Amino acid sequence: MKEESNCKRIASMSRSAKKSELVRNVEEKRKQQESLIPYVHEDCVSNILIRLPLDSLHRSMFVCKHWFNIICSPTFVETHFRCSESVLIFNAPTRYEETSPHFTPSLPHSRKSNTFSIEAKYMQSSESLSLFHNLEPTSKTFIQFLEFQDGISNVGEYSLSCFGQIRATCNGLILLDNKLKIGGLIVINPVTRKLTALPPGTLNSSHNESYGFAYDYVSGRYKVVHLFRDALLYISCEIFILGTEKWRAVDGPPFGLFGWFGYKPVEAIGALHWIPQVNHSNCIVSLEIENEKFQTIPLPNSCNRYDGIVEIGSSLSYVTHKETHTDIWILKGLSGEVWIKQHSINIGCRMDMVPLLSFRIRGDLIFKSKDGFFYIYDFELRSITKVENKKRLRLSSDFLFPHVNSMVSWSSS
C-alpha cells in the first residue's frame, strides 16, 4: 500500500511538473511573439484611429479588445466629435427592383448583404414580427449623408435601412419614426448602430406637430421635444428624456404664435428655436433646454419663405434675403442680447436660396436653391460658389438635416 501511495504521489508530481513546464513554454512563446511586435503608445494608436473613415473606424472596433476600449472611451468619443465636420443627413429611396410588387421583406433585406436593418434590430427586443411584414416595401429607405469637400458634394453610406423618416438630429444621434409601433420613435447613432426605442407620445398628424432633439449641458441628458396642435388649437408640448420611461407635459408657447410647423427647429445658445409662420414671421419661438420655458425673440425684420435660422459657431444666425443682397444676423445669447448684422452677401446670391447649415470646423455656410443646387458662402473670402454635385439630389430642403458623424451615445453623455 505504501509503495502504491508513493507511486501515485510521484506520478502526480510528474504531471504537475510537466504542466508547469508547458505553461512556462506557452508564456515564453507569448513573450517572444510580443517582442516581435513593435510597441506603439496608446496615444499614437488613438491619433491614427481618429483619422479613419467611418466604415474603417467601425470595423476597427472589432479588431481587438484594446482598440475597442480606445474607440469606446469617453476621451476618444469627445475628441472624435470635436474633429468631425458637419454633413447633411437624409432618407434615400430604395432602388426600383426593391420596390417592385415582387419584392418581399426579409430579416434583414437590403441592396447590400451587410446592410443593417433598423426594424430588424428593434424586433430583437420586441414582438413586432407581423407588423414588419405588413410594412409597404416602397416606404423603405436608406439613410445616407451628404458631405462637402473642396467645392464638391459626395454622398456617403452607412449601409443602414429603415422605414421611418428622420424627424430630428443631435450630436450624431438621429430621431426616427418607429413604423413598428404607432406613435413610437427610435433614436439611433448611424455610425455605431446603437439604438433605443421611445414609447408613443401624444398622437397627431405630421403637419400639426414638430419634433426637436437637444442636449442639456447642465444635466448631461438628451431631450426629445414634441410640439403639437391639440383639439382646441392650442400648441401643447411634451418632453422625453432619454433613459427615462415616459413623456412629461410642460407648458406650451402662447396661443396664436404658430401658424404651421414646416420649419425644422434649430438648436443653438442653449435653446431650440422655431420660425412659427410660413411667411411674415416677426419673431422666433424658443424653448430653453435647461428650464424648459418658452419665450419669443423678435427678428430684425419679417421672415419670408426662403429666409431661415442656423447655428453658426456658438451663436444663432438669422439669414434673410433682400432684393439686392442677403444679410446674416447673429444672436449670441438669450439674456438681453440683441441681433447684430454680421455679414452681407452682395455678389452671387439668389432670393430662393435656403440656408441649411454652417460647417462646425470650416465655418462656411451651405445654401440650397429651389432648383436643387447647393451653394457655399466663404466668410473669409466673402464669396459664394456653386457646389459641384457628383450625384444630384432631388430632395426638398425639408428632408435634409444638419448632422455630425460621431461615436456619441446617450448612455455615456
Side-chain angles (χ1 to χ4, degrees):
M1 289 291 293
K2 189 174 182 180
E3 289 182 2
E4 184 178 351
S5 177
N6 288 337
C7 288
K8 288 182 178 180
R9 187 168 62 253
I10 292 171
S12 177
M13 292 173 64
S14 176
R15 286 195 298 270
S16 298
K18 289 181 179 179
K19 186 177 180 180
S20 298
E21 185 178 358
L22 180 62
V23 170
R24 283 196 301 271
N25 290 338
V26 170
E27 183 66 19
E28 286 177 4
K29 281 187 176 182
R30 186 185 66 81
K31 290 182 177 179
Q32 288 175 359
Q33 289 175 349
E34 287 183 350
S35 66
L36 297 175
I37 302 174
Y39 172 74
V40 180
H41 195 277
E42 184 172 304
D43 289 345
C44 293
V45 176
S46 179
N47 286 333
I48 294 171
L49 292 174
I50 212 163
R51 289 166 169 78
L52 292 179
L54 282 179
D55 54 347
S56 300
L57 181 61
H58 187 261
R59 289 196 302 268
S60 298
M61 292 176 63
F62 308 102
V63 169
C64 63
K65 185 177 181 180
H66 182 55
W67 283 20
F68 179 88
N69 290 335
I70 290 176
I71 294 172
C72 294
S73 68
T75 301
F76 184 92
V77 170
E78 176 64 25
T79 304
H80 180 268
F81 177 72
R82 290 200 307 267
C83 295
S84 298
E85 187 56 279
S86 305
V87 298
L88 290 169
I89 196 168
F90 59 94
N91 294 88
T94 57
R95 299 184 306 178
Y96 170 76
E97 59 265 27
E98 291 184 337
T99 58
S100 67
H102 304 290
F103 177 71
T104 303
S106 59
L107 295 177
H109 57 276
S110 65
R111 57 182 170 182
K112 294 181 179 179
S113 60
N114 65 339
T115 295
F116 179 91
S117 167
I118 292 177
E119 284 76 18
K121 176 66 175 178
Y122 168 74
M123 285 192 306
Q124 292 178 4
S125 58
S126 67
E127 298 178 355
S128 306
L129 183 60
S130 60
L131 289 175
F132 183 84
H133 288 287
N134 289 333
L135 292 174
E136 178 60 45
T138 55
S139 65
K140 176 190 170 187
T141 64
F142 291 89
I143 298 178
Q144 298 178 337
F145 63 93
L146 192 67
E147 56 185 351
F148 301 85
Q149 188 70 38
D150 298 326
I152 302 173
S153 67
N154 295 290
V155 175
E157 294 271 358
Y158 297 109
S159 295
L160 201 64
S161 71
C162 66
F163 287 87
Q165 290 294 315
I166 299 173
R167 290 302 196 102
T169 63
C170 181
N171 290 355
L173 307 177
I174 59 175
L175 181 71
L176 294 164
D177 295 316
N178 184 356
K179 292 300 184 179
L180 298 178
K181 181 172 286 190
I182 297 175
L185 297 163
I186 289 175
V187 171
I188 184 171
N189 183 321
V191 176
T192 65
R193 298 178 174 178
K194 181 179 179 180
L195 63 81
T196 185
L198 279 60
T202 302
L203 298 181
N204 214 311
S205 58
S206 59
H207 67 277
N208 269 328
E209 66 181 358
S210 175
Y211 282 96
F213 194 9
Y215 180 65
D216 186 343
Y217 285 90
V218 176
S219 66
R221 308 183 85 171
Y222 285 92
K223 296 182 177 181
V224 177
V225 178
H226 183 206
L227 285 186
F228 57 95
R229 198 185 311 276
D230 63 22
L232 299 176
L233 302 183
Y234 283 89
I235 304 302
S236 297
C237 180
E238 57 189 2
I239 294 177
F240 185 89
I241 299 176
L242 296 193
T244 61
E245 297 181 354
K246 61 181 181 180
W247 292 84
R248 176 171 45 84
V250 300
D251 292 336
F255 180 79
L257 280 178
F258 274 89
W260 82 320
F261 292 103
Y263 287 115
K264 297 186 290 289
V266 173
E267 181 187 4
I269 57 176
L272 282 167
H273 310 273
W274 285 262
I275 296 176
Q277 303 289 338
V278 63
N279 259 323
H280 309 300
S281 288
N282 295 313
C283 68
I284 56 175
V285 178
S286 303
L287 172 67
E288 291 189 56
I289 298 167
E290 179 190 355
N291 62 25
E292 300 174 355
K293 302 293 184 183
F294 281 94
Q295 63 175 291
T296 59
I297 300 175
L299 288 169
N301 56 262
S302 180
C303 178
N304 293 312
R305 174 69 178 176
Y306 297 106
D307 299 343
I309 53 175
V310 293
E311 183 184 22
I312 295 182
S314 57
S315 302
L316 179 66
S317 172
Y318 171 53
V319 181
T320 177
H321 300 292
K322 304 299 180 182
E323 289 187 4
T324 59
H325 62 280
T326 298
D327 290 332
I328 301 175
W329 298 76
I330 298 294
L331 185 68
K332 295 186 177 181
L334 297 173
S335 303
E337 301 286 346
V338 295
W339 292 99
I340 300 172
K341 188 161 72 171
Q342 197 85 1
H343 301 275
S344 283
I345 306 175
N346 299 305
I347 300 176
C349 58
R350 295 172 47 168
M351 292 288 290
D352 65 346
M353 296 194 310
V354 177
L356 295 180
L357 87 158
S358 173
F359 291 127
R360 302 170 70 240
I361 299 173
R362 300 200 301 273
D364 299 343
L365 186 61
I366 293 289
F367 293 89
K368 186 173 185 289
S369 62
K370 188 178 180 180
D371 55 10
F373 291 101
F374 292 93
Y375 294 83
I376 297 181
Y377 178 68
D378 188 315
F379 286 95
E380 291 186 1
L381 299 178
R382 295 179 177 269
S383 64
I384 190 165
T385 55
K386 188 176 180 180
V387 175
E388 180 184 337
N389 298 321
K390 285 191 173 181
K391 182 179 180 181
R392 182 101 174 264
L393 287 181
R394 300 188 181 277
L395 284 174
S396 165
S397 301
D398 298 335
F399 300 100
L400 296 169
F401 293 80
H403 182 69
V404 55
N405 290 315
S406 74
M407 310 292 291
V408 165
S409 170
W410 55 90
S411 58
S412 60
S413 58

